[in-house]
């Protein structure tokens, strides 16, 4: 019941499961937890992660964001028992109106959402998708690029090429969105030398130059296609020394305008068969 890029025992997923994946309950619980810990929630960047956002039905996405806004507008406002609300069979027009109303209310809320981030595949970004992202109030888009080496993308059956990454980046930047790349050193078919060369190209080539980066060294998880290659001795992950040396070299290439959000995914160690 999860996007295949996530595991049920990752922290964010466990929070989602605890709230039955309901957007209202997830958002409200997170805000209240932050407040109990002494954090200010006057300004919130809402990050919606999990799978390919652009692939989900339009109605579902409009409803999802509206319910997140509703939770921010109502968090800590009541202690009444929450009654789950399922996706209503409303029209796109009605759902859009509900979303816009929630946005207007949030402008004066004590918990204002000042940015919304979603993650998606580069080959799902086009002019229509950008228009919808604008309506939903999205400000930053995380792209699952993984690599800008054409051969590596093909060997890992990504389903898109480097052109799709460049095109998505151009469309998003021209529309005023901040762009995050997920980059994965150590993919099948790559080498430390190729990874470093591709990383340098991220900033040398003006088609890319992301505003943010997430560096996710490749790991072997059971039941994945990569696991079969690993068992067949067709794939060997980088050693700890090789990986740390590579990451240090790559980080030296990051320009001042790019912020590294994260280095290494929070995949629980017991699930990692091989790799970092």
């Amino acid at each position: 019941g999860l996007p295949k890029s996530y595991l049920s025992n990752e922290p964010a997923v466990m929070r989602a499961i605890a709230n039955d994946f309901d957007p209202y309950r997830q958002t409200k619980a997170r805000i209240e937890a932050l407040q109990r810990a002494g954090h200010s929630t006057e300004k919130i960047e809402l990050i919606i992660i999990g799978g390919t956002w652009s692939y989900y039905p339009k109605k579902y996405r409009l409803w999802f964001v509206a319910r997140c806004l509703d939770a921010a507008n109502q968090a800590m406002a009541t202690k009444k028992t929450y009654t789950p609300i399922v996706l209503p069979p409303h029209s796109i027009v009605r759902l859009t109106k509900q979303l816009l109303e929630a946005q207007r209310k949030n402008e004066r809320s004590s918990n204002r959402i000042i940015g919304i981030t979603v993650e998606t595949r580069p080959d799902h970004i086009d002019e229509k998708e950008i228009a919808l992202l604008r309506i939903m109030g999205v400000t930053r888009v995380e792209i699952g690029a993984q690599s800008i080496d054409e051969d590596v993308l093909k060997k890992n059956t990504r389903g898109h090429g480097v052109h799709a990454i460049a095109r998505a980046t151009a469309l998003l930047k021209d529309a005023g969105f901040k762009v995050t790349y997920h980059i994965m050193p150590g993919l099948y078919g790559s080498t430390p030398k190729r990874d470093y060369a591709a990383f340098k190209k991220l900033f040398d080539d003006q088609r890319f130059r992301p505003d943010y980066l997430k560096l996710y060294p490749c790991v072997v998880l059971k039941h994945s296609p990569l696991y079969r290659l690993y068992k067949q001795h067709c794939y060997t992950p980088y050693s700890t020394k090789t990986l740390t040396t590579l990451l240090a070299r790559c980080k030296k290439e990051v320009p001042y305008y790019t912020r590294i959000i994260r280095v290494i995914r929070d995949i629980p160690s017991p699930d990692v068969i091989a790799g970092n």
Side-chain angles (χ1 to χ4, degrees):
L2 297 172
K4 64 181 181 179
S5 53
Y6 286 84
L7 302 175
S8 61
N9 56 349
E10 289 187 66
V13 179
M14 292 179 74
R15 289 194 297 268
I17 292 171
N19 290 286
D20 298 320
F21 289 92
D22 185 289
Y24 182 99
R25 288 174 56 188
Q26 287 185 75
T27 306
K28 190 170 187 289
R30 195 70 174 131
I31 291 173
E32 292 175 351
L34 288 167
Q35 291 174 339
R36 285 195 298 271
H39 292 287
S40 170
T41 58
E42 292 179 359
K43 293 182 179 180
I44 297 168
E45 180 182 15
L46 178 70
I47 303 177
I48 303 172
I49 60 173
T52 301
W53 175 253
S54 306
Y55 184 78
Y56 296 118
K58 185 176 180 180
K59 283 186 178 182
Y60 174 74
R61 288 187 283 159
L62 291 168
W63 169 80
F64 195 102
V65 175
R67 293 303 288 159
C68 289
L69 286 160
D70 287 342
N73 293 340
Q74 300 168 24
M76 302 299 279
T78 177
K79 293 297 182 182
K80 294 180 180 178
T81 302
Y82 170 69
T83 302
I85 299 176
V86 297
L87 174 60
H90 295 334
S91 66
I92 292 290
V93 173
R94 185 170 175 183
L95 285 169
T96 302
K97 286 182 178 179
Q98 290 178 348
L99 171 61
L100 295 175
E101 178 59 27
Q103 289 173 344
R104 281 192 290 270
K105 288 182 179 178
N106 190 250
E107 290 175 3
R108 298 182 181 278
S109 171
S110 57
N111 304 293
R112 287 185 296 128
I113 294 177
I114 51 84
I116 297 178
T117 298
V118 297
E119 61 180 18
T120 192
R121 288 172 57 97
D123 52 336
H124 278 59
I125 294 294
D126 55 23
E127 289 83 353
K128 286 186 178 179
E129 177 63 12
I130 282 177
L132 182 59
L133 293 174
R134 274 219 177 280
I135 291 170
M136 292 186 293
V138 171
T139 53
R140 180 162 65 91
V141 178
E142 297 193 5
I143 295 177
Q146 318 308 358
S147 173
I148 56 168
D149 187 316
E150 198 77 63
D151 185 54
V152 171
L153 290 174
K154 286 180 181 178
K155 284 188 175 181
N156 288 273
T157 61
R158 285 295 299 165
H160 65 78
V162 174
H163 173 73
I165 299 172
R167 181 174 184 271
T169 302
L171 287 171
L172 289 166
K173 285 188 173 184
D174 287 348
F177 293 91
K178 291 294 185 180
V179 177
T180 300
Y181 278 6
H182 296 187
I183 295 295
M184 190 173 288
L187 283 167
Y188 173 59
S190 192
T191 65
K193 185 177 180 179
R194 292 182 69 170
D195 281 338
Y196 179 67
F199 198 87
K200 276 183 62 67
K201 189 178 179 181
L202 279 178
F203 306 105
D204 292 340
D205 192 326
Q206 63 180 0
R207 294 178 300 163
F208 308 113
R209 298 178 180 171
D211 302 291
Y212 298 83
L213 276 175
K214 286 185 176 179
L215 300 175
Y216 291 154
C218 186
V219 297
V220 179
L221 302 177
K222 205 167 185 179
H223 309 302
S224 67
L226 191 62
Y227 176 70
R228 294 195 293 271
L229 291 170
Y230 171 73
K231 295 293 286 184
Q232 295 165 4
H233 305 289
C234 297
Y235 172 76
T236 303
Y238 297 160
S239 68
T240 300
K241 183 178 180 180
T242 298
L243 178 61
T244 50
T245 300
L246 173 63
L247 289 175
R249 290 187 71 201
C250 288
K251 290 177 77 173
K252 287 181 179 179
E253 300 297 330
V254 179
Y256 73 92
Y257 58 79
T258 297
R259 176 175 293 179
I260 297 177
I261 300 176
R262 178 182 289 179
V263 180
I264 299 171
R265 271 278 298 273
D266 52 354
I267 295 174
S269 296
D271 291 309
V272 179
I273 304 299
N276 174 66

